[in-house]
Amino acid sequence: MKVLSYPNPVLFHKCKPVTSINQQLRDLIAEMLQTMYEFRGVGLAANQVGYPIQLFVMNETGDFEKPENEYVFINPVILKRKGNQVDQEGCLSFPEIYANVNRAELVEIESIAIDGSIQKFQWKDRPATIVQHEYDHLNGICFVDRLSELSLHEIREELADLKINYEGDVRLGFTPSAEETKKRIADLEKQFCE
Ligand code: ZN
C-alpha cells in the first residue's frame, strides 16, 4: 500500500461513513495496520491510502509487536474535548515535516469496532493528539491546517517541495491525476458507503 503525500486531493476530501463491515473492509484494515507499521507511523487514516471512508487505525507505540495497543475506529465521532495541550506532530503524508499543534488534552470518541460493536473511549495526552489528528484527516483537514502563521512560514519550503514532487509524479503517471482521483473516490464510495 502506498501512503499518499500532500497535496493529493483525497487528503482534502470529507470521508463518508462505512455502511457495512464485510471482508473487503476487514482486508483493508489489515493492510492499513501493516502499512502504518511499515512506515513507522502511530496512526493512519483511510484517505491517506486513497480510501475516502470514515476509518482510521492507531497504535501509539508504533510497534507491531505490541498489538494490545492497536485500535480500529470505524465511523468515529468525537463527543467531548477538554483542556489544551501542545504536542509535536508529524504525518506520513508530509514526510519529514514536524510542527507543534495545539489540541484538546482529553477527548471522548465513539466509533464502531471491527466486530461491529459500538466502542467509546476517553483518551488523554499523546493518544488524544493522535486521535484528533486522524479524525481531522477524515474531515479533509491536515495538521498543517492547524498551524499558526509563524509555524506555517517555517515549513513553507518543505511544503513547496512536496507540491513539486506531487506534480512531477502526476506528470510521470506515478500518481493519478485529480480527475482520475475524483473518479476513484466515487467508485470506492459506491463500494463502501452505499
Ligand atoms: Zn496524518
Side-chain angles (χ1 to χ4, degrees):
M1 234 176 192
K2 211 167 123 181
V3 178
L4 303 171
S5 289
Y6 170 86
N8 193 299
V10 74
L11 295 171
F12 306 108
H13 185 78
K14 212 169 160 7
C15 295
K16 285 199 175 159
V18 172
T19 42
S20 87
I21 298 172
N22 50 26
Q23 196 52 46
Q24 192 187 14
L25 187 75
R26 284 190 288 270
D27 289 346
L28 172 63
I29 290 167
E31 262 195 279
M32 280 174 60
L33 284 165
Q34 202 188 331
T35 305
M36 176 179 77
Y37 293 127
E38 188 185 326
F39 291 94
R40 296 170 197 282
V42 291
L44 185 67
N47 52 339
Q48 289 183 276
V49 287
Y51 288 76
I53 62 172
Q54 292 272 334
L55 160 70
F56 72 82
V57 296
M58 165 172 105
N59 183 333
E60 61 166 302
T61 69
D63 185 348
F64 73 97
E65 287 180 339
K66 292 187 177 142
E68 67 274 19
N69 293 96
E70 209 173 84
Y71 292 91
V72 174
F73 300 82
I74 301 163
N75 300 348
V77 181
I78 289 185
L79 302 172
K80 222 189 267 172
R81 299 173 194 256
K82 253 171 99 179
N84 244 16
Q85 65 181 357
V86 177
D87 208 346
Q88 195 188 52
E89 295 184 25
C91 179
L92 296 179
S93 298
F94 293 78
E96 285 164 55
I97 297 180
Y98 300 91
N100 286 331
V101 185
N102 191 357
R103 297 198 186 265
E105 185 187 13
L106 183 145
V107 289
E108 189 176 296
I109 185 165
E110 189 175 88
S111 65
I112 299 171
I114 196 162
D115 66 0
S117 64
I118 290 180
Q119 56 185 7
K120 206 190 232 181
F121 294 111
Q122 272 200 0
W123 299 101
K124 247 183 89 185
D125 305 326
R126 187 75 182 149
T129 291
I130 302 168
V131 161
Q132 290 170 87
H133 177 117
E134 302 308 329
Y135 187 77
D136 266 357
H137 270 306
L138 302 184
N139 289 300
I141 299 165
C142 294
F143 81 117
V144 298
D145 298 321
R146 299 267 183 214
L147 299 184
S148 65
E149 262 181 59
L150 183 67
S151 307
L152 205 53
H153 187 73
E154 280 167 2
I155 58 165
R156 69 194 183 286
E157 280 171 21
E158 286 92 335
L159 289 177
D161 285 346
L162 285 181
K163 248 183 203 163
I164 291 167
N165 286 345
Y166 171 76
E167 282 156 13
D169 281 353
V170 170
R171 260 200 311 276
L172 295 168
F174 295 149
T175 281
S177 66
E179 202 50 45
E180 286 163 330
T181 302
K182 226 168 117 183
K183 206 177 147 276
R184 194 178 139 79
I185 287 174
D187 283 348
L188 289 168
E189 281 177 345
K190 246 181 222 146
Q191 283 177 47
F192 286 91
C193 310
E194 276 180 15

